[in-house]
Amino acid sequence: EVQLVESGGGLVQPGGSLRLSCAASGFTFSSYEMNWVRQAPGKGLEWVSYISSSGSTIYYADSVKGRFTISRDNAKNSLYLQMNSLRAEDTAVYYCAREDDGSYYDYWGQGTLVTVSS
Amino acid sequence: QSVLTQPPSASGTPGQRVTISCSGSSSNIGSNTVNWYQQLPGTAPKLLIYSNNQRPSGVPDRFSGSKSGTSASLAISGLQSEDEADYYCAAWDDSLNGPRHVFGTGTKVTVL
């Protein structure tokens, strides 16, 4: 059974940092592209970042470029999101999602809440 | 900010057919496949339709998708109470600043 479990969320002050993790199981992690998607309270879905299966290709949304860093460790079946210079508008539930066929997200984690507030 | 436009809400009585539109541009829907996600209250999104009109295993056949030009649509026929949820279209966008994944603004479906 495919499972994606996010962790690392919490309350952080503006300007602070946080590292999210996504533990994958039930599939060959190293064969799949992965993404982070977030959802602010009461709002819609917003794509954050993409990483290829090998980690060699990475994309970011303009809203996080230069502040967030996506990475993966295929030996540990894990995906990460390092978030720096956090702002109030980064407050959201962050989901990791497996991408299939270079197009769609077929499995999602349960999400982890990040709250940026003083 | 979303670049795919959806109506904020849609509704119907049980058994009715509901259609949700998704309007994009040549850089996203016009050149890439469209996927649809269902998000039940308090849960993570779930893949509903992929590659414009394909249903993953386990998705009822009352859900169907289509695409024409720079627009797509999701139809729910035989609406059921458990279909009450938020629905999002999505596609990759070949922007000048580099590829990005874009979601629709979301449509809340209410079963009357």
Side-chain angles (χ1 to χ4, degrees), chain A residues 35 37 39 43-45 47 50 59 62 65 95 99 102-106 108-109, chain B residues 1-2 33 35 37 39 43-47 50-51 88 92 97 99-101 103:
Chain A
N35 290 260
V37 176
Q39 186 170 36
K43 303 296 185 183
L45 301 173
W47 171 76
Y50 157 97
Y59 305 126
D62 289 344
K65 200 173 296 182
Y95 297 100
E99 182 169 336
S103 168
Y104 53 89
Y105 303 153
D106 59 348
W108 297 64
Chain B
Q1 59 279 21
S2 302
T33 57
N35 310 302
Y37 301 91
Q39 187 175 33
T43 69
K46 167 193 165 186
L47 179 65
Y50 67 96
S51 299
Y88 297 90
W92 276 98
N97 292 333
R100 56 177 180 161
H101 200 85
F103 286 95

Side-chain angles (χ1 to χ4, degrees), chain B residues 26-40:
Chain B
S26 59
S27 65
N28 41 68
I29 294 178
S31 51
N32 295 293
T33 57
V34 177
N35 310 302
W36 290 87
Y37 301 91
Q38 177 194 58
Q39 187 175 33
L40 297 170

Side-chain angles (χ1 to χ4, degrees), chain B residues 4-7 17-24 29 32-37 48-55 62-77 87-91 107 109:
Chain B
L4 303 182
T5 303
Q6 300 177 232
R17 176 183 172 92
V18 169
T19 301
I20 300 169
S21 61
C22 175
S23 178
I29 294 178
N32 295 293
T33 57
V34 177
N35 310 302
W36 290 87
Y37 301 91
L48 194 66
I49 296 288
Y50 67 96
S51 299
N52 303 326
N53 55 18
Q54 302 299 301
R55 280 186 311 275
R62 65 177 184 274
F63 293 96
S64 62
S66 64
K67 172 185 143 176
S68 178
T70 58
S71 295
S73 63
L74 172 72
I76 310 173
S77 58
Y87 294 82
Y88 297 90
C89 59
T107 298
V109 169

Side-chain angles (χ1 to χ4, degrees), chain A residues 20-55:
Chain A
L20 305 184
S21 300
C22 172
S25 61
F27 65 101
T28 304
F29 181 71
S30 59
S31 297
Y32 286 85
E33 300 149 301
M34 298 294 296
N35 290 260
W36 287 99
V37 176
R38 69 184 180 183
Q39 186 170 36
K43 303 296 185 183
L45 301 173
E46 180 189 14
W47 171 76
V48 173
S49 185
Y50 157 97
I51 187 167
S52 63
S53 57
S54 67

